[in-house]
Amino acid sequence: MVEQSDRAPLLDWEEIPPAELAPSVPAAETGDTLQSGLSNYPAQGGGGADISQSTSPARTHSATAVIGESADSPSKHGGPGGDGSATDEEGDCTFHGLSVRDRRIAEWEEKDQIVAVFVVTFDTRSGNMIEWCLPEDVNLEGVEFKSMASGSHRISSDFIYFRKGCYFGLACFANMPVESELERGARMKSVGILSTSYTLLYRYMHFLENQVRHQLHCPGQYSPLEAFYEDKKAVLPPGGNGLVTACPSSSLAPIVNCCMHPEMKITHPAGCMSQFIRFFGEQIMVLWKFALLRKRILIFSPPPVGVVCYRVYCCCCLANVSIPGMGVSVPELRPFFYINVADITALETELSYVACTTEKIFEEKKELYDVYIDNQNVKTHRESLQPLLRLNSADREKYRKLCEQRQLLLYSQEVDGDCTSSEEDLFILFFMEQNNRIFQMLSEVAASADSTLTAEQVRAMGLDPQGDRGFLVDLLEVYGIDVMLVIDNPCFSRY
């Protein structure tokens, strides 16, 4: 069970298992710190789950797990679809949907899929290195740099989402001053896990935070991590058999309010998307267009990097489309999360992704990205994309409506006590409905006799006939939609 705290809204989500589900593990021999770490991961066995249709940029028709609400649970938190297990750790892989249980459809059980647990340390002579891991033969090459971001020596703690081949990882970092010449006055470690999916990683944030503190104070004592791995280790089906990759659309219709693309629910249920939009302001409309066009988006920020990993999620969330069949032929907008120079080779072959980094050298590697974001400054070196950086009247109107809907929701929550909807649901559904409106109109025009898109129809999609002309041309090309675009009589494009 996950319980929300009123403190530190971006960093203070804890996993607090019910007393009757407390895990049974060997008693710790190192005192209160170790015991605290052992008490903060859940017992084996999944709760009920609702299924909502994933409209993830990565997969249009996958099933999504939303953690079921038990009698003791104060809230319901979902997880994203389309990011499940993979067939090969380092190869060209496809992310499938998660195995889930829907109480209204079938008795499917969501499984923990922890592939590895590890401890990374900083050695003054050797640099970042894997100190310990289970299983011992797992390939963790490069994880020592992914789980301890460049520049982390300047901060006391952080958390990092990352990708390792077809797996996803979460690591918690901590930096403790020590009176040791050998360690140069500071001891730095990260404790992390790899999983076939990022859906459930948030569950173990508090456990990992406890364990990295324990490793700083009691280096080399791995008993709780061993017990955790034995309890949560993945049993991977060969070839992904048994994983739900699609679900009948008729069963999904009643569940729209569960949040169609609930990544935010698992990374930060208490305001990830709303903070993201407040941070970028009107620029969110620029990011929305780049995400919908499946561009390669790279976000730079100095440490801490945890909150920037949330922005990676949010960027992917802007491109949700729930129209069946739409977008299946376009590149997946893959969340890479934190990257470093060791990922350059992998990024060279990616057609579409969102990632974040603390390494400024990436700004010079212009062949690796289309859009570069430094703080709130969104820029592109590609001349054809530069017109999309300019906001038009339709963009400002959409942003105004978004802010207006948010204010109405906050008023309803404050005055009427209506908590049935959240800011996360509002923002995610706002962009999904906007995207659906665009693609529904384009599909109807493509199926018409003359396949001609008029200025009135462009306005009906919530776009500016002149200001969004280049955006529409790119959109038709990327999605392979056969429409003739005629605005103010000149015929300038047909796909």
Side-chain angles (χ1 to χ4, degrees):
M1 180 172 70
V2 178
E3 184 173 285
Q4 182 178 2
S5 167
D6 292 327
R7 298 174 287 115
L10 274 176
L11 299 174
D12 193 39
W13 269 74
E14 297 182 351
E15 176 187 38
I16 304 177
E20 68 273 17
L21 295 180
S24 175
V25 294
E29 65 271 16
T30 57
D32 293 340
T33 303
L34 178 55
Q35 197 64 36
S36 172
L38 280 169
S39 66
N40 283 290
Y41 69 90
Q44 182 68 26
D50 292 337
I51 294 180
S52 65
Q53 182 174 351
S54 169
T55 53
S56 165
R59 189 71 55 192
T60 305
H61 297 299
S62 60
T64 297
V66 180
I67 306 305
E69 192 170 23
S70 68
D72 301 320
S73 175
S75 60
K76 182 183 293 183
H77 306 294
D83 63 317
S85 72
T87 61
D88 180 74
E89 180 183 352
E90 296 293 345
D92 182 21
C93 41
T94 300
F95 297 102
H96 301 286
L98 296 170
S99 293
V100 295
R101 179 195 297 161
D102 182 62
R103 287 171 297 192
R104 284 165 288 191
I105 303 174
E107 291 299 314
W108 295 330
E109 184 177 0
E110 185 178 16
K111 298 290 186 181
D112 292 300
Q113 297 287 309
I114 302 302
V115 175
V117 58
F118 58 87
V119 178
V120 168
T121 190
F122 176 77
D123 183 84
T124 54
R125 292 184 294 268
S126 305
N128 295 15
M129 56 186 295
I130 302 291
E131 174 185 314
W132 173 91
C133 67
L134 277 180
E136 295 181 357
D137 60 348
V138 66
N139 178 9
L140 293 179
E141 182 181 358
V143 167
E144 66 270 31
F145 301 107
K146 293 175 181 290
S147 57
M148 195 177 289
S150 177
S152 292
H153 62 279
R154 294 190 291 266
I155 59 176
S156 60
S157 63
D158 199 2
F159 63 96
I160 305 170
Y161 284 88
F162 61 90
R163 271 185 52 185
K164 163 63 176 170
C166 292
Y167 297 139
F168 294 88
L170 170 63
C172 288
F173 164 84
N175 181 357
M176 182 179 75
V178 292
E179 295 182 3
S180 168
E181 290 187 14
L182 184 63
E183 295 177 283
R184 298 180 185 173
R187 181 176 299 158
M188 292 178 282
K189 292 182 183 288
S190 283
V191 176
I193 54 178
L194 285 183
S195 175
T196 56
S197 162
Y198 54 81
T199 306
L200 303 180
L201 289 176
Y202 81 102
R203 288 183 173 183
Y204 310 114
M205 177 84 76
H206 189 59
F207 171 73
L208 296 175
E209 288 173 343
N210 280 334
Q211 286 306 303
V212 73
R213 288 192 294 267
H214 171 64
Q215 288 298 318
L216 289 176
H217 289 282
C218 306
Q221 297 185 6
Y222 309 118
S223 297
L225 295 174
E226 292 169 349
F228 171 84
Y229 178 70
E230 286 303 314
D231 189 44
K232 299 296 179 185
K233 62 184 177 182
V235 179
L236 301 179
N241 292 334
L243 296 178
V244 177
T245 57
C247 197
S249 58
S250 60
S251 66
L252 304 172
I255 319 174
V256 172
N257 197 43
C258 292
C259 183
M260 298 297 285
H261 187 64
E263 271 102 310
M264 302 312 102
K265 297 295 185 181
I266 69 105
T267 56
H268 179 52
C272 173
M273 178 64 86
S274 59
Q275 291 187 29
F276 170 71
I277 293 179
R278 286 197 299 269
F279 180 80
F280 284 107
E282 290 182 336
Q283 288 286 95
I284 196 71
M285 296 303 166
V286 173
L287 296 180
W288 162 66
K289 292 177 185 179
F290 287 134
L292 207 58
L293 291 174
R294 299 297 197 261
K295 297 305 177 184
R296 299 173 299 170
I297 301 172
L298 181 59
I299 306 173
F300 168 80
S301 176
V305 76
V307 67
V308 193
C309 290
Y310 291 154
R311 291 172 192 159
V312 171
Y313 274 107
C314 295
C315 277
C316 289
C317 216
L318 297 174
N320 296 341
V321 180
S322 64
I323 298 176
M326 182 57 64
V328 295
S329 61
V330 301
E332 298 177 8
L333 190 64
R334 294 186 173 187
F336 260 73
F337 307 106
Y338 176 73
I339 60 171
N340 56 34
V341 292
D343 295 299
I344 287 177
T345 301
L347 291 178
E348 287 174 344
T349 60
E350 289 295 325
L351 300 175
S352 176
Y353 70 83
V354 185
C356 61
T357 187
T358 60
E359 301 184 14
K360 196 69 173 177
I361 191 174
F362 272 98
E363 187 173 9
E364 303 172 9
K365 305 288 186 181
K366 295 183 178 180
E367 70 279 6
L368 298 178
Y369 63 85
D370 302 309
V371 180
Y372 187 84
I373 304 171
D374 186 344
N375 196 23
Q376 292 159 307
N377 181 25
V378 182
K379 56 186 179 180
T380 177
H381 60 280
R382 301 195 178 280
E383 186 175 347
S384 61
L385 296 179
Q386 288 176 0
L388 300 186
L389 296 173
R390 294 191 292 269
L391 292 167
N392 57 51
S393 58
D395 294 328
R396 293 189 171 90
E397 177 63 15
K398 284 192 288 290
Y399 184 72
R400 184 193 66 79
K401 288 181 179 178
L402 178 61
C403 294
E404 185 178 80
Q405 289 184 23
R406 177 176 176 270
Q407 291 302 319
L408 288 173
L409 174 65
L410 295 177
Y411 178 82
S412 175
Q413 291 176 339
E414 181 178 353
V415 175
D416 302 329
D418 179 11
C419 297
T420 57
S421 297
S422 69
E423 287 187 75
E424 311 310 306
D425 297 332
L426 184 152
F427 288 131
I428 292 168
L429 289 173
F430 178 89
F431 285 102
M432 186 177 66
E433 289 170 357
Q434 173 64 45
N435 299 339
N436 286 350
R437 186 189 317 162
I438 290 174
F439 287 112
Q440 185 65 42
M441 177 66 75
L442 293 178
S443 297
E444 292 175 359
V445 171
S448 64
D450 60 0
S451 302
T452 301
L453 185 67
T454 66
E456 289 74 18
Q457 290 169 323
V458 172
R459 293 189 188 95
M461 293 189 293
L463 300 177
D464 186 306
Q466 295 300 324
D468 285 318
R469 186 168 60 180
F471 170 61
L472 270 172
V473 170
D474 290 345
L475 200 68
L476 294 173
E477 181 177 11
V478 169
Y479 288 83
I481 301 175
D482 185 21
V483 165
M484 182 179 292
L485 189 55
V486 179
I487 298 176
D488 293 339
N489 291 325
C491 170
F492 66 93
S493 181
R494 182 180 180 95
Y495 296 96

